[in-house]
Amino acid sequence: MKKLSALDWIALILMIVGGLNWGLVGAFGFDLVAAIFGAMSLIARIIYVLVGLSAIYYIFNLGKFGKK
């Protein structure tokens, strides 16, 4: 399996943060990002956008992660 680049790791971490956050929202109605940075503050919105961009990055790079 190919080693992950720094961008791959950042995107992966952001996707994990986003997944955990959505799990908390779905299970308990608790938005951790909003609780830490303020509801729809600039920083929270940037995090939401980065999580979305990391998901798009992984969608377009799915094939490369399974190759040697």
Side-chain angles (χ1 to χ4, degrees):
M1 188 166 139
K2 183 180 178 195
K3 288 189 176 188
L4 298 178
S5 69
L7 181 59
D8 295 334
W9 277 109
I10 292 168
L12 180 61
I13 291 167
L14 284 168
M15 284 190 18
I16 290 169
V17 167
L20 292 173
N21 192 56
W22 274 110
L24 288 170
V25 170
F28 306 110
F30 179 71
D31 187 346
L32 182 62
V33 173
I36 293 173
F37 299 109
M40 294 312 287
S41 68
L42 179 61
I43 295 172
R45 291 181 68 174
I46 290 170
I47 291 171
Y48 295 138
V49 168
L50 290 175
V51 167
L53 289 173
S54 67
I56 292 168
Y57 174 79
Y58 265 84
I59 287 169
F60 285 106
N61 288 294
L62 278 176
K64 107 175 180 181
F65 296 116
K67 295 179 183 176
K68 288 185 176 184

